[in-house]
Amino acid sequence: MTTIIGVDFSGAKSDRNTWATVARLEHPASLHVDSAQRIPRADLYDLLVAVPTPAVAALDFPFGVPAQFASSIAAPPAPTDMPDLWRAVQPISAVDFIAARNTFVAVHGEPKRAGDFKYHRESYSPLHNVNPNMLPMTWHGIQLLHRWHQEHPRRWYVPPLPAPAPPENVVTLLELMPGALLRALALPFKGYKRGRDSAHRRTQILDNLAAASGVALPDLDSVRDDCLANDDCLDSVVAAVGAAMWAQDSSRFRHPTDDELLDAKLEGWIYVPNLD
């Protein structure tokens, strides 16, 4: 059995919009959903510290920022990987992080991370601040990652960084964007959050998610109503399915090439399956 966590993350000041789906992957391919509910960010920290291993947690926030911005906010030498970046961001307040972003963007615009620019044109730069405002999510997410890494350094595997321990002894923290996963699965990835057809598109996703992903979802009806009522809940379930797909066979996902690896180790990498 593998513990599976799917998180739709929010940096909102109210701290009421993060959702976590907690599930168990019974091999070979059956995902049993135990719960899907709102969770404060502090409780999310505790949840992942406590879950039994092996575990895969798919998290919907940027694990890093564009390399040029990372260099601008860190004291020399420039960060070379995500832990370096997390360490540099940790003492920076949210207000100062936003101010640094504004100074940088005034000169350089809003660059995307290299992997996002190449493979996820629908994504936003972590420096984007209007509809949606990515800055609170990015700052809060990096604070969590730094704390996890600092306080429990051998518990986490954060691809594409090297694994610190055998897979059965770690929690894999996977950067995953539900919309990108839905697109890879040929399911509705736009217009399911709001709009006149959103309810129909959510129903399409729920009705076809198991077949498209290859992950059986025998308990999906237990969270169907919440998913239909709240797109954040649905995104956390989709993230959990992505985590389960990774646990089944991570080689099905697009990994950075050798030429892309240096950027990905610093900036982060959105993982989606290659199903061609």
Side-chain angles (χ1 to χ4, degrees):
M1 186 196 78
T2 301
T3 306
I4 297 294
I5 310 289
V7 177
D8 183 65
F9 191 75
S10 170
K13 187 178 295 186
S14 67
D15 198 13
R16 287 182 46 81
N17 297 328
T18 296
W19 280 72
T21 291
V22 179
R24 293 162 287 115
L25 181 63
E26 304 283 354
H27 297 291
S30 185
L31 186 66
H32 297 270
V33 176
D34 293 324
S35 64
Q37 58 192 11
R38 286 185 174 89
I39 185 169
R41 289 183 291 265
D43 290 353
L44 176 63
Y45 175 88
D46 293 338
L47 171 66
L48 290 185
V49 167
V51 295
T53 59
V56 181
L59 305 165
D60 178 21
F61 61 79
F63 284 17
V65 297
Q68 193 175 3
F69 180 63
S71 296
S72 76
I73 59 174
T80 59
D81 61 17
M82 284 183 276
D84 279 352
L85 170 67
W86 305 338
R87 194 176 304 113
V89 171
Q90 189 275 329
I92 301 174
S93 70
V95 170
D96 288 343
F97 183 78
I98 292 169
R101 173 265 177 204
N102 292 343
T103 299
F104 177 87
V105 167
V107 177
H108 302 285
E110 288 182 2
K112 286 191 172 187
R113 301 178 298 174
D116 297 347
F117 179 80
K118 187 172 183 179
Y119 297 111
H120 303 291
R121 294 300 181 94
E122 75 277 10
S123 68
Y124 293 93
S125 168
L127 306 182
H128 190 68
N129 71 341
V130 179
N131 294 329
N133 184 354
M134 298 289 292
L135 299 175
M137 173 190 297
T138 300
W139 183 84
H140 278 291
I142 288 175
Q143 296 292 325
L144 275 177
L145 288 164
H146 173 74
R147 187 179 170 202
W148 279 322
H149 183 74
Q150 182 182 50
E151 297 182 2
H152 307 275
R154 295 191 58 79
R155 182 170 170 81
W156 318 104
Y157 167 41
V158 184
L161 301 176
E168 61 270 16
N169 297 332
V170 299
V171 179
T172 298
L173 301 179
L174 193 70
E175 184 179 343
L176 185 146
M177 189 169 79
L181 178 63
L182 291 170
R183 184 177 187 178
L185 297 178
L187 295 174
F189 66 96
K190 291 183 178 179
Y192 71 92
K193 292 179 177 290
R194 56 192 60 85
R196 63 182 182 180
D197 293 328
S198 60
H200 174 65
R201 292 176 182 177
R202 291 184 202 181
T203 299
Q204 285 182 296
I205 292 168
L206 292 165
D207 287 348
N208 294 285
L209 188 56
S213 66
V215 177
L217 297 165
D219 307 311
L220 187 60
D221 281 349
S222 68
V223 294
R224 177 179 287 266
D225 288 346
D226 285 337
C227 288
L228 291 173
N230 189 298
D231 60 270
D232 297 331
C233 178
L234 176 57
D235 276 348
S236 75
V237 171
V238 171
V241 170
M245 293 177 69
W246 177 277
Q248 286 177 338
D249 184 2
S250 62
S251 69
R252 299 170 67 192
F253 285 68
R254 181 191 297 120
H255 294 254
T257 65
D258 290 344
D259 290 339
E260 296 164 338
L261 191 56
L262 283 178
D263 283 333
K265 283 183 173 180
L266 170 62
E267 298 183 330
W269 183 266
I270 295 174
Y271 283 90
V272 294
N274 280 317
L275 300 178
D276 296 337

